[in-house]
Amino acid sequence: MKNSALKGALGALAVVGIALAAKKISQRKRFMKGIFDEYGIKEKSPFGLADKIREMNEEQYQELKGKFKKEFASRCHRGFKKKENIAEA
């Protein structure tokens, strides 16, 4: 009986993990679609984005870069940066 309860718990945990991953994927896909629409990129591929970046001036490029950094920044190292700043002080 113990073994089947453990399997059920692991199965439920796996379903939750898959749901969270699917949610994150859809959020990022929506973000990229917004970027393509905002900058008028017709070709929905990395090559279309690269072509548009080549056409941008420095200010536009920095704006786009900031959007990507904000969206795709890793959130798992936030505590580490705080500890590092405390150690320096």
Side-chain angles (χ1 to χ4, degrees):
M1 194 62 158
K2 257 189 200 179
N3 199 12
S4 83
L6 179 64
K7 285 181 182 179
L10 288 176
L13 191 61
V15 168
V16 169
I18 290 171
L20 288 173
K23 180 182 174 188
K24 188 68 171 181
I25 289 169
S26 71
Q27 287 174 346
R28 289 189 172 190
K29 192 173 185 178
R30 203 173 317 122
F31 170 77
M32 289 303 297
K33 185 177 181 188
I35 291 291
F36 286 133
D37 290 342
E38 182 179 344
Y39 289 97
I41 302 170
K42 302 268 189 267
E43 186 182 340
K44 308 286 191 220
S45 72
F47 300 112
L49 182 61
D51 289 341
K52 185 64 177 181
I53 288 173
R54 283 187 206 108
E55 296 171 2
M56 291 179 173
N57 62 25
E58 187 63 28
E59 184 181 316
Q60 291 173 330
Y61 173 69
Q62 291 302 325
E63 179 186 338
L64 179 65
K65 190 170 136 181
K67 288 179 184 179
F68 275 107
K69 276 188 176 183
K70 182 181 175 190
E71 179 65 26
F72 295 114
S74 176
R75 290 163 180 84
C76 62
H77 296 293
R78 286 184 182 173
F80 179 73
K81 288 181 181 178
K82 289 178 185 175
K83 290 178 187 176
E84 198 174 81
N85 291 339
I86 292 171
E88 289 176 3

